[in-house]
Amino acid sequence: MMKKIFICCCFTFCLAALSFGQKAEEDAIRAIIDAENLAYTTKPVQEVWSNYWLLDDHTRLFLQPLNQQAVNKDKKGLLAMSNEVAGDKRAQIQTSNIKYSITGNVAIVTADYTLSIPEEKQSLVSAHLYLLKKVDGKWLINCATKMQSIVNQ
Amino acid sequence: MKFFLITSLCFFFSHVAFGQIEEESAIRAVLEAETQDYLLKPIQEIWKNYWILDDKTTLFLHTPDGATNIFDKNALLELPNIVTGDERAKIERSNINFQFFGDMAVVSYESKIVIQEESITVLSLEMREMKKVNGKWLNHIGTIIQNITQ
């Protein structure tokens, strides 16, 4: 009987630890992608790459800016970008529909971002897909697709 | 002894490289078949043959008119079962990049879609998360950004 109780307790403890571990990784990833999105409104883009991106031969950023042609950047293309603040510092950003698939040190995340500027009557919705990798304990973005479109309020 | 170790190492690396090329070819074949089917077959057959449909399935589609559409499993299954492509379209894929993580792969590439009769060229940037299920690569999450260039 004691043995059964002991096994049940161990099993429950393992499941709880796994679930807690998954939640901790999700929180860490969420912190990185939220910070990355906010950083565009306050920091020059090269700081965004150096703080939140893993730049290697596989790096890709597919970006569909509002009312412009799409942009396809690899590592070289990102590093060649003019080092300016790309966003508007008045922007308020909200995240929704975030979904994680984490396998070891690799994560696939989808999320929707709503960027609104209180002074303006339109919001921008941006649909994102990320591939992140955990390097030296820190999650970094390796590939991303971002598509922007307008929502009238 | 040294010779044996070096030979074993070479064999191991060539085996890994060959395995990677084999998986890349398998993914290319799936993407090629899926693209051709878009032009010829009703859309629900695409989901059935080339996609994993679960609670994380997502397709982000930015169409040339500027609209972003977000489809989850239910939204994909609710799409009218018609042929959405144009069978006259010629499609070329380039700059394909593969990353493998066991039975998961992330693939990105550019596609050029030309309908000569209409003088239309669409450039498409696509990124896929794919999973190998029962030996077959299937799409799980995809993003498609389409822009008309002519």
Side-chain angles (χ1 to χ4, degrees):
Chain A
M1 185 64 183
M2 282 302 283
K3 197 175 168 187
K4 256 189 192 167
I5 292 171
F6 177 72
I7 290 171
C8 277
C9 286
C10 288
F11 191 66
T12 311
F13 177 77
C14 281
L15 283 182
L18 275 178
S19 159
F20 181 74
Q22 165 87 7
K23 179 77 174 62
E25 296 294 10
E26 289 180 2
D27 289 347
I29 289 170
R30 171 81 186 260
I32 289 293
I33 58 177
D34 281 357
E36 191 246 3
N37 278 302
L38 196 60
Y40 287 105
T41 65
T42 56
K43 291 181 181 167
V45 288
Q46 295 301 331
E47 275 192 48
V48 179
W49 316 142
S50 62
N51 290 336
Y52 305 109
W53 279 71
L54 170 65
L55 298 183
D56 61 18
D57 290 346
H58 294 294
T59 300
R60 293 288 182 280
L61 171 61
F62 292 164
L63 172 65
Q64 175 60 63
L66 191 65
N67 301 328
Q68 292 174 43
Q69 284 292 109
V71 173
N72 174 5
K73 299 280 185 194
D74 58 7
K75 172 187 174 181
K76 210 173 147 188
L78 291 177
L79 291 174
M81 280 176 73
S82 168
N83 195 21
E84 293 164 3
V85 179
D88 187 324
K89 65 178 178 188
R90 298 170 301 167
Q92 293 175 351
I93 299 173
Q94 278 186 322
T95 317
S96 57
N97 294 331
I98 188 158
K99 291 178 188 170
Y100 308 87
S101 297
I102 304 172
T103 313
N105 289 332
V106 176
I108 299 285
V109 181
T110 55
D112 301 337
Y113 282 86
T114 307
L115 287 87
S116 52
I117 297 172
E119 292 85 344
E120 299 187 10
K121 286 190 176 163
Q122 286 182 324
S123 290
L124 193 72
V125 171
S126 198
H128 295 189
L129 165 66
Y130 296 98
L131 164 66
L132 296 105
K133 294 178 185 170
K134 198 175 184 182
V135 180
D136 298 331
K138 188 183 176 189
W139 287 98
L140 294 168
I141 299 163
N142 188 226
C143 295
T145 298
K146 301 184 177 190
M147 311 179 180
Q148 299 177 342
S149 53
I150 274 285
V151 177
N152 292 314
Q153 291 175 329
Chain B
M1 183 67 182
K2 246 187 198 170
F3 177 75
F4 174 75
L5 279 176
I6 291 170
T7 313
S8 301
L9 213 62
C10 288
F11 176 76
F12 174 74
F13 281 121
S14 64
H15 185 71
V16 168
F18 181 73
Q20 163 104 3
I21 290 169
E22 216 173 12
E23 297 296 5
E24 288 180 5
S25 300
I27 287 180
R28 279 178 198 269
V30 168
L31 294 173
E32 210 61 53
E34 185 200 17
T35 305
Q36 285 309 313
D37 281 2
Y38 269 116
L39 308 179
L40 302 167
K41 293 185 179 170
I43 199 86
Q44 294 301 330
E45 282 196 40
I46 311 293
W47 317 140
K48 199 173 72 185
N49 293 332
Y50 304 107
W51 282 73
I52 298 165
L53 297 179
D54 63 21
D55 61 342
K56 287 185 180 159
T57 300
T58 310
L59 173 61
F60 293 150
L61 172 64
H62 182 92
T63 46
D65 60 3
T68 296
N69 305 280
I70 302 173
F71 300 99
D72 60 7
K73 172 190 169 182
N74 294 332
L76 290 176
L77 290 173
E78 280 166 13
L79 284 170
N81 195 22
I82 52 171
V83 180
T84 57
D86 187 321
E87 61 181 356
R88 298 169 300 171
K90 300 274 179 282
I91 300 168
E92 280 173 38
R93 201 167 276 120
S94 59
N95 291 332
I96 189 158
N97 183 272
F98 296 94
Q99 293 199 70
F100 290 95
F101 311 99
D103 283 344
M104 193 257 273
V106 174
V107 187
S108 62
Y109 52 90
E110 295 173 13
S111 293
K112 187 176 172 187
I113 305 155
V114 180
I115 305 175
Q116 220 161 21
E117 293 84 344
E118 308 274 341
S119 301
I120 291 175
T121 302
V122 175
L123 286 182
S124 182
L125 298 174
E126 306 193 18
M127 201 174 282
R128 308 289 179 99
E129 184 226 352
M130 301 178 78
K131 288 185 174 176
K132 200 174 184 181
V133 180
N134 299 327
K136 189 183 173 188
W137 287 100
L138 296 167
N139 294 289
H140 186 225
I141 297 173
T143 63
I144 303 173
I145 297 177
Q146 295 179 331
N147 283 236
I148 285 187
T149 59
Q150 284 169 13

